[in-house]
Amino acid sequence: MVDAADVNALSFEKALAELETIVAKLEGGNVPLEESIALYARGEALKARCDTLLKDAEARVEKITLSADGRPAGTQPLDGE
């Protein structure tokens, strides 16, 4: 069983690194079936965590607006074009 609290505590970088390790193990093909299933479930949870963190980051990204003379004048949401 995947420990959701454990996965939800990971930073994007740590979750991605663990996910890459899992993918390498599964692609290697030398993992017993039961362990493969557990690794796959953990990988799915890690992927979901990375997706959530990326969406959160995208929501916070802002575009710098410039005044008529080309100087920074403020920010607006990236999607607010």
Side-chain angles (χ1 to χ4, degrees):
M1 183 107 187
V2 176
D3 183 1
D6 175 46
V7 170
N8 289 334
L10 294 174
S11 68
F12 176 81
E13 292 78 7
K14 287 185 180 186
L16 184 59
E18 186 177 341
L19 182 56
E20 289 172 343
T21 299
I22 288 172
V23 169
K25 283 182 182 179
L26 291 174
E27 286 180 342
N30 297 324
V31 181
L33 179 61
E34 287 300 316
E35 186 178 347
S36 293
I37 293 168
L39 286 170
Y40 184 85
R42 176 93 177 159
E44 283 294 314
L46 291 165
K47 178 187 172 293
R49 174 69 177 157
C50 289
D51 285 344
T52 298
L53 291 172
L54 281 175
K55 286 178 185 170
D56 290 348
E58 287 173 355
R60 293 191 316 252
V61 171
E62 294 182 324
K63 181 173 77 172
I64 297 173
T65 58
L66 302 177
S67 64
D69 65 357
R71 294 178 183 235
T75 60
Q76 70 182 27
L78 186 61
D79 293 337
E81 296 184 73

